[in-house]
């Protein structure tokens, strides 16, 4: 049987579980750790429950300094904030954090709900998750990907929903960085735009990886996972392959934009086009728009300037009287490069001060869960 949507490397759930168990077995053997002994030790130290090894050993990314990170699921309810238990034995550093079966069941239901929601609602739920739920986002991802020491993956059935939610969240973050890239370029910032472009690339990598079923929250592994993904050449379809090829081209070329002779070379248009290609390739939307949402109020300040006062921060905006660009009707991403330099600089000041935020709109959504 072939791989269902949301499973990486064209593997079935059983094949993916076997691959990840092989990673775990190799990791434990390299540390001289016996799974049966480790199970008994953890049961003695933290009690009964379903024990999952998580993080880099599962994904085949562990090295000689990697910790052993466990999550334990217990039958009884747990109240209050969670603090990991640290265990040091025979030179090994083990950490374990515990959650209840009821909490996990609630989170997996929420994953399904968010995966079936429109993209903007998915992102809103993802971003508010840690304020409302246990286990938190990272821990929920680790549970879904986690491998028990008997070689099973008890919660892998939730991977397609996890993939959709995490992919949309990364796409949204990438779009925000693409907007900042376009604004910085329109404002005449030759270096600032490149910093935003790097971030856009990283989050687009993670979005395509997550869409492919390769979901791993830790940002330091984005580039290594992407390089492995490209090398394995297991693209889920031609649209993702094309988006990945364009991403690779821009990744290899982005540093050249910092060369002294490259200051006038346009950059943002290619990133806008790539972001929209990734939207379509992942089935998230056909296009996106952007609008500025003020988090405070504009107040008179000095002649020819206004003060934007907001809880997140306040900023003086020269040349502004009663409104800000993009604070009304949303515009397409392609139109960002046509903004007046002063308007683009004003938007950047408001965003960097935390006195405004971007409202990304999705159009032609196609829910993929």
């Amino acid at each position: 049987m072939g791989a269902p949507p949301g499973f990486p490397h064209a593997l079935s759930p059983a094949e993916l579980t076997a691959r990840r168990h092989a990673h775990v077995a190799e990791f434990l053997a390299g540390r001289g750790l016996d799974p049966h002994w480790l199970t008994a030790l953890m049961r003695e130290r933290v009690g009964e429950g379903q024990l999952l090894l998580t993080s880099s050993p599962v994904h085949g990314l562990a090295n000689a300094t990697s910790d052993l990170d466990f999550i334990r699921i217990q039958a009884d309810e747990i109240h209050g904030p969670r603090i990991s238990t640290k265990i040091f034995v025979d030179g090994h550093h083990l950490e374990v954090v515990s959650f209840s079966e009821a909490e996990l069941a609630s989170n997996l239901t929420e994953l399904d709900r968010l995966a079936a929601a429109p993209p903007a609602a998915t992102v809103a739920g993802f971003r508010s998750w840690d304020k409302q739920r246990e286990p938190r986002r990272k821990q929920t991802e680790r549970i879904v990907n986690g491998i028990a020491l008997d070689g099973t993956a008890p919660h892998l059935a939730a991977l397609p929903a996890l993939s959709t939610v995490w992919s949309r969240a990364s796409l949204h973050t990438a779009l925000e960085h693409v907007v900042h890239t376009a604004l910085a370029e329109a404002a005449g910032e030759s270096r600032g735009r490149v910093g935003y472009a790097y971030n856009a690339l990283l989050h687009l990598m993670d979005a395509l990886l997550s869409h492919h079923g390769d979901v791993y929250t830790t940002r330091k592994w984005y580039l290594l996972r992407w390089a492995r993904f490209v090398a394995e050449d297991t693209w889920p379809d031609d649209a993702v392959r094309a988006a990945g090829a364009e991403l690779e081209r821009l990744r290899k070329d982005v540093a050249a934009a910092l060369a002294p002779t490259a200051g006038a070379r346009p950059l943002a248009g290619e990133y806008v086009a790539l972001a929209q290609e990734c939207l379509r390739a992942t089935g998230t939307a056909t296009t996106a728009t952007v609008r500025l949402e003020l988090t405070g109020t504009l107040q008179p300040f000095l002649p020819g300037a206004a003060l934007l006062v907001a809880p997140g921060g306040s900023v003086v905006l020269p040349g502004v009287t009663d409104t800000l660009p993009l604070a009304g009707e949303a515009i397409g991403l392609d139109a960002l490069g046509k903004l007046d330099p002063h308007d683009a600089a004003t938007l950047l000041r408001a965003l960097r001060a935390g006195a405004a935020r971007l409202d990304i709109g999705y159009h032609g959504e196609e829910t993929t869960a």
Side-chain angles (χ1 to χ4, degrees), residues 28-292:
L28 293 179
R31 296 292 182 90
L33 293 171
D34 176 73
H36 300 290
W37 173 85
L38 195 54
T39 299
L41 171 70
M42 299 299 286
R43 184 180 295 120
E44 173 193 335
R45 298 294 179 90
V46 297
E48 295 288 341
Q50 184 184 78
L51 191 66
L52 301 170
L53 182 59
T54 71
S55 197
S56 56
V58 171
H59 296 273
L61 297 168
N63 54 46
T65 62
S66 296
D67 297 331
L68 286 87
D69 294 317
F70 290 93
I71 292 178
R72 186 178 69 96
I73 309 300
Q74 67 177 50
D76 295 338
E77 290 186 9
I78 305 176
H79 301 285
R82 308 307 148 83
I83 300 176
S84 62
T85 299
K86 300 181 185 298
I87 301 170
F88 298 90
V89 57
D90 296 337
H92 301 289
H93 176 207
L94 297 79
E95 290 193 18
V96 59
V97 60
S98 298
F99 303 97
S100 71
E101 292 176 357
E103 288 173 320
L104 176 57
S106 175
N107 273 13
L108 296 183
T109 298
E110 179 68 358
L111 266 184
D112 286 337
R113 186 188 74 81
L114 292 178
T122 304
V123 174
F126 177 90
R127 291 188 169 184
S128 65
W129 186 293
D130 285 355
K131 298 176 183 178
Q132 303 171 359
R133 311 187 71 85
E134 293 282 3
R136 296 188 177 183
R137 287 193 313 242
K138 180 174 76 172
Q139 294 152 338
T140 301
E141 172 263 300
R142 291 185 173 189
I143 289 169
V144 172
N145 285 318
I147 295 291
L149 292 178
D150 63 2
T152 60
H155 307 290
L156 195 62
L159 183 57
L162 184 84
S163 297
T164 297
V165 174
W166 260 241
S167 178
R168 289 177 177 178
S170 286
L171 269 172
H172 194 90
T173 301
L175 284 170
E176 291 171 333
H177 285 293
V178 166
V179 172
H180 279 78
T181 302
L183 292 177
E185 184 167 284
E189 296 185 3
S190 60
R191 294 179 179 271
R193 63 184 185 142
V194 180
Y196 292 127
Y198 269 109
N199 276 325
L201 288 174
L202 284 172
H203 287 284
L204 288 173
M205 288 176 195
D206 189 55
L208 294 182
L209 286 165
S210 295
H211 174 70
H212 185 55
D214 185 351
V215 186
Y216 190 10
T217 303
T218 307
R219 189 177 302 180
K220 69 179 180 180
W221 296 118
Y222 284 6
L223 187 55
L224 181 58
R225 288 167 51 229
W226 176 256
R228 183 172 65 178
F229 178 41
V230 171
E232 289 184 343
D233 195 27
T234 54
W235 307 91
D237 55 53
D238 289 342
V240 176
R241 181 188 297 274
E246 178 64 5
L247 199 161
E248 271 292 273
R249 183 185 74 81
L250 293 181
R251 180 186 69 81
K252 294 174 181 177
D253 188 54
V254 64
L258 289 172
T261 58
R265 174 178 171 266
L267 185 73
E270 294 176 315
Y271 284 78
V272 167
L274 174 61
Q276 300 202 111
E277 185 177 1
C278 289
L279 283 176
R280 293 187 291 270
T282 57
T284 303
T286 55
T287 189
T289 57
V290 62
R291 184 180 67 87
L292 192 74

